[in-house]
Amino acid sequence: MTITPVVHSCTRGPLISVEGITGVGKTYLTSRAVEALDNQPLMLEAFSQRTDERRGLGKALLCALREASGGDPFLRGGTPMAEALLLLAIKRHDLDSLMPELSSGHAVIEGRSVDTTAVCQALQLHPDDPDAALVMAAALREFASSYRPLPDLTILVTDNAHEAAVRAQRRDRCVFTPEQATFMREACALYERLAATDPTRYRVVDRRSVDEHEAAELIRVWVNDTGTGLGCMREPWQGPRARCMCCGHRAGSGPA
């Protein structure tokens, strides 16, 4: 008699991040996209946009970064490696706070995740060397993946950096300095280069080639398609046989 092995299927929801420089329309396009979904995902704002987060460790870390940055829109306080560790700690805190939703099978969309930290801090560590910044960004992303799972899907929204800056300044009623505008251009280019190193996880919406209706529809389709056939989510530092953080299944142990 032939015994067919039972294949475990995790019931968790997908973890999706939306990345890109300020002003490209991440929140606007994603909101339009999820409005057309039957099951509404939980949307977690990018940490730079949070104003009403409840008290706790995540808020305390974010407040410390804001204070140290002196109002810089990119939360740059002059110590990029230390700030990278704090930003990644916030992203780990975010994941911990999202586990009940993911475990219940709900989709979660992070407004920026570890990839943004990798890009922005790498640029500060190697401001005049785009190739070295790319290597550093990949290294920071790899480091982040050693203590929290990366998103199942990362959507990069990109555009002409000048157009994005115009939108951001109009929205926030501010004027970027020449240095800040240069930083945005460099970040835009580095996001695109970093995405090209991981085509399995990334999907790219380029607003220079699609209008907002097409962009929102692409995001809707990608989010919808990511909700099926998901594997278990495990603590990276516990190894491949660790129990799933959502369903409790251990690799090789049969159905949970």
Side-chain angles (χ1 to χ4, degrees), residues 35-207:
E35 284 176 358
L37 294 172
D38 293 332
N39 297 316
Q40 296 289 302
L42 172 67
M43 294 182 64
L44 180 68
E45 287 186 322
F47 40 66
S48 62
Q49 297 173 323
R50 297 177 200 173
T51 58
D52 57 353
E53 186 181 12
R54 65 176 181 268
R55 301 178 68 86
L57 178 60
K59 184 173 183 179
L61 293 174
L62 182 55
C63 287
L65 283 168
R66 283 178 173 155
E67 183 177 350
S69 68
D72 181 80
F74 310 111
L75 297 179
R76 297 173 298 174
T79 54
M81 186 54 76
E83 290 155 18
L85 296 175
L86 282 174
L87 288 164
L88 293 177
I90 292 173
K91 295 317 300 177
R92 174 64 213 212
H93 183 273
D94 283 348
L95 179 65
D96 290 342
S97 68
L98 297 171
M99 290 311 300
E101 292 288 334
L102 292 170
S103 298
S104 298
H106 297 143
V108 174
I109 298 179
E110 291 183 271
R112 294 193 177 135
S113 186
V114 297
D115 298 271
T116 285
T117 296
V119 164
C120 292
Q121 305 314 114
L123 279 176
Q124 294 175 69
L125 291 163
H126 298 282
D128 301 313
D129 191 337
D131 291 336
L134 176 61
V135 172
M136 176 58 71
L140 287 171
R141 183 181 62 188
E142 180 67 20
F143 172 70
S145 73
S146 69
Y147 71 90
R148 67 151 275 179
L150 295 176
D152 299 297
L153 169 69
T154 293
I155 298 171
L156 172 64
V157 182
T158 190
D159 197 356
N160 177 281
H162 174 73
E163 295 298 326
V166 169
R167 291 191 204 101
Q169 291 174 98
R170 183 170 58 243
R171 178 196 65 201
D172 299 335
R173 298 180 181 180
C174 67
V175 177
F176 291 149
T177 67
E179 185 277 331
Q180 290 168 346
T182 297
F183 186 80
M184 281 190 63
R185 288 195 300 272
E186 293 173 346
C188 187
L190 185 53
Y191 268 121
E192 293 175 358
R193 294 185 70 188
L194 187 63
T197 68
D198 191 0
T200 300
R201 181 166 62 94
Y202 272 95
R203 298 292 182 272
V204 179
V205 177
D206 191 338
R207 297 194 65 178

